[in-house]
Amino acid sequence: MSVPMLKIGAVLSTMAMVTNWMSQTLPSLVGLNGTTISRGGTSERIVSVQNISQSMEVLDLRTYRDLQYVRNTESLMKVVDGKLKVASENPRSLNPKGFQELKDKVTQLLPLLPVLEQYKADAKMILRLREEVRNLSLVLMAIQEEMGAYDYEELRQRVLLLETRLHSCMQKLGCGKLTGVSNPITVRASGSRFGSWMTDTMIPSSDNRVWSMDGYFKGRRVLEYRTMNDFMKGQNFVQHLLPHPWAGTGHVVYNGSLYYNKYQSNIIIKYHFRSRSVLVQRSLSGAGYNNTFPYSWGGSSDIDLMADENGLWAVYTTIPNAGNIVISRLEPQSLEVQQTWDTGFPKRSAGESFMICGTLYVTNSHLAGAKIYFAYYTNTSSYEYTDIPFHNQYSHISMMDYNPRERVLYTWNNGHQVLYNVTLFQVIKTSGD
């Protein structure tokens, strides 16, 4: 590449790097990504900062396009440069045919002129935006002064009020029918191939803790993280050593307690995290255990405990039910069975299942290509076959549970902890309902 080309490439590359940094990093540094503050004209300043960011994004895209064009003309410029050198050293060698060829090559380079003109205009924009960025320190100081007008207690009360209004809004969102599942969101890769992880499913709840239980066979160690961010980083956790080992991965946390299936039994245990004690345990009458009626992947997944908007549930099967999935609603304090439904769907043909708004959704496999294939409605004691696809990214799901508080699916997929957002067809409740 010639020296002029190197200079152009270096300048354009620098512009791309600078604009990319300013458009992506600057807003996050000043804390203005998606932020709106309406006091005393601050929102106007934020709009100004966002406009700078948008201008930089446009500039970045244009610079990238121009740089690509310049690079594509590199070989053509080399040819023209070579012919000009030959002509300057030996003018007589430039015959009419050679002159026409050189003229044609130069004509092909003419579109480069507006690119360079645009580059000069962009360079002026860089200078203008640089001046605007310098003024950001003044904007930030003004924002800081305005934010300082609120004391801590007032801010806390505002947050509590907002949280109350949010819960009220969520309550107006009536239960709905599952119509779609988002692409997977991998939160972390940790543990073995099998396991479970969860947050509290009780509505409402301000508990932000995350629990992780690695493995499906005779495990007793439960890791408790303060927040989801701590879980992602693998930090700030405490350990609970359960008095009895668990079986399977069908555990659930509901209102501060862990509900799980005791190893080599059909006993359900309620373990309270804060007191670190067993509050109650009860046998799930007739339920199979120890890989008698597991999901298709095995793993002692005979009894699957879950929660939704309607409360606590157990999904299992019995010999009288011929291995078909049975749903029982449980009373959370005593673990007594309140009502039971026989779905007629063979449990060994199911990959996993979860409850949403009193409806059990069943996948047809735990492997790649799985989809949500069957739905049983407890409110009408009826069922239907469904066709709701989802991306099984790591090809081996050993746990899939719905969290009604967050309205997401938690999954353990081949040593990866993954979330899915769900789409529900909902009916909005009015105050007169």
Side-chain angles (χ1 to χ4, degrees):
M1 184 182 293
S2 63
V3 173
M5 277 295 297
L6 282 172
K7 290 181 179 179
I8 294 173
V11 171
L12 292 177
S13 297
T14 302
M15 287 176 62
M17 180 177 65
V18 171
T19 54
N20 184 60
W21 178 86
M22 295 182 72
S23 62
Q24 297 183 18
T25 308
L26 183 59
S28 62
L29 286 177
V30 300
L32 297 178
N33 279 340
T35 303
T36 301
I37 303 173
S38 59
R39 299 191 68 233
T42 305
S43 60
E44 296 177 0
R45 299 190 192 105
I46 292 175
V47 169
S48 175
V49 174
Q50 291 173 338
N51 287 338
I52 295 174
S53 175
Q54 293 170 0
S55 297
M56 285 304 191
E57 290 177 0
V58 172
L59 190 58
D60 181 30
L61 292 174
R62 196 162 61 212
T63 302
Y64 176 79
R65 178 202 64 193
D66 294 345
L67 180 58
Q68 291 298 110
Y69 183 82
V70 172
R71 285 174 176 167
N72 292 338
T73 59
E74 178 184 356
S75 58
L76 183 59
M77 293 181 72
K78 285 182 177 180
V79 172
V80 173
D81 187 48
K83 289 184 176 293
L84 287 174
K85 284 182 178 180
V86 171
S88 61
E89 293 173 357
N90 186 9
R92 293 183 179 180
S93 64
L94 192 63
N95 54 38
K97 181 180 179 182
F99 177 78
Q100 186 60 42
E101 289 178 354
L102 181 59
K103 184 179 179 181
D104 292 340
K105 297 294 183 184
V106 172
T107 301
Q108 294 178 40
L109 287 174
L110 290 178
L112 186 60
L113 294 177
V115 172
L116 297 177
E117 288 296 324
Q118 185 64 64
Y119 159 66
K120 288 192 294 184
D122 290 344
K124 292 179 180 179
M125 182 184 291
I126 287 276
L127 294 175
R128 179 176 60 81
L129 292 176
R130 185 180 64 182
E131 294 302 318
E132 293 187 34
V133 170
R134 285 177 178 174
N135 294 330
L136 280 179
S137 59
L138 299 176
V139 174
L140 292 177
M141 290 176 63
I143 293 174
Q144 185 177 13
E145 290 175 1
E146 292 181 19
M147 291 298 290
Y150 297 106
D151 60 22
Y152 171 78
E153 184 60 28
E154 185 179 355
L155 284 174
R156 191 178 73 86
Q157 291 300 324
R158 282 171 170 261
V159 170
L160 290 176
L161 178 61
L162 181 60
E163 187 177 44
T164 301
R165 293 175 62 187
L166 180 61
H167 282 308
S168 175
C169 181
M170 287 294 290
Q171 292 303 315
K172 291 182 180 179
L173 286 176
C175 267
K177 181 178 180 180
L178 180 66
T179 58
V181 177
S182 75
N183 286 326
I185 304 167
T186 301
V187 176
R188 188 182 175 193
S190 67
S192 64
R193 191 177 190 186
F194 312 97
S196 61
W197 71 298
M198 64 217 80
T199 55
D200 200 317
T201 54
M202 180 71 176
I203 302 176
S205 175
S206 58
D207 194 338
N208 295 317
R209 290 176 293 173
V210 180
W211 292 271
S212 175
M213 302 167 69
D214 190 11
Y216 69 86
F217 182 71
K218 296 176 66 174
R220 293 178 60 197
R221 190 172 74 123
V222 182
L223 299 183
E224 175 188 302
Y225 297 83
R226 286 192 314 176
T227 64
M228 182 66 74
N229 190 52
D230 288 331
F231 174 74
M232 294 171 62
K233 296 178 179 178
Q235 65 184 19
N236 295 326
F237 64 87
V238 296
Q239 176 178 289
H240 296 268
L241 193 62
L242 300 178
H244 306 287
W246 72 68
T249 59
H251 328 300
V252 65
V253 174
Y254 186 78
N255 197 20
S257 292
L258 171 69
Y259 296 79
Y260 71 97
N261 176 210
K262 183 180 178 181
Y263 173 64
Q264 286 192 333
S265 75
N266 58 12
I267 294 174
I268 300 174
I269 293 178
K270 177 182 179 181
Y271 174 86
H272 190 243
F273 281 116
R274 296 206 183 277
S275 65
R276 294 179 177 262
S277 62
V278 173
L279 299 185
V280 65
Q281 53 182 314
R282 182 182 292 272
S283 175
L284 190 59
S285 180
Y289 61 92
N290 199 27
N291 272 330
T292 303
F293 299 112
Y295 288 123
S296 60
W297 64 274
S300 299
S301 56
D302 302 77
I303 298 175
D304 193 358
L305 302 170
M306 53 190 72
D308 71 351
E309 291 82 355
N310 297 337
L312 187 65
W313 306 83
V315 171
Y316 58 101
T317 190
T318 65
I319 292 176
N321 289 95
N324 292 329
I325 291 178
V326 175
I327 307 170
S328 289
R329 179 185 289 152
L330 304 179
E331 202 289 312
Q333 302 303 321
S334 65
L335 296 180
E336 292 182 353
V337 173
Q338 296 178 316
Q339 192 173 353
T340 296
W341 295 261
D342 183 353
T343 67
F345 191 91
K347 192 163 185 288
R348 287 184 176 272
S349 297
E352 272 291 340
S353 68
F354 53 91
M355 295 288 295
I356 299 181
C357 300
T359 299
L360 180 73
Y361 294 94
V362 182
T363 69
N364 63 345
S365 173
H366 61 284
L367 302 173
K371 61 182 179 179
I372 299 168
Y373 179 74
F374 178 86
Y376 187 89
Y377 306 97
T378 60
N379 61 336
T380 59
S381 298
S382 62
Y383 70 88
E384 69 172 338
Y385 288 93
T386 61
D387 187 10
I388 304 174
F390 65 96
H391 182 36
N392 186 351
Q393 185 172 5
Y394 304 106
S395 304
H396 198 288
I397 293 176
S398 59
M399 169 259 180
M400 192 172 206
D401 272 334
Y402 172 69
N403 187 304
R405 182 162 64 103
E406 302 167 359
R407 296 201 166 181
V408 298
L409 293 175
Y410 280 70
T411 67
W412 189 290
N413 195 337
N414 213 357
H416 297 79
Q417 292 72 53
V418 181
L419 294 176
Y420 294 88
N421 290 309
V422 297
T423 302
L424 303 180
F425 181 79
Q426 296 167 322
V427 177
I428 307 298
K429 296 179 181 177
T430 64
S431 56
D433 290 344

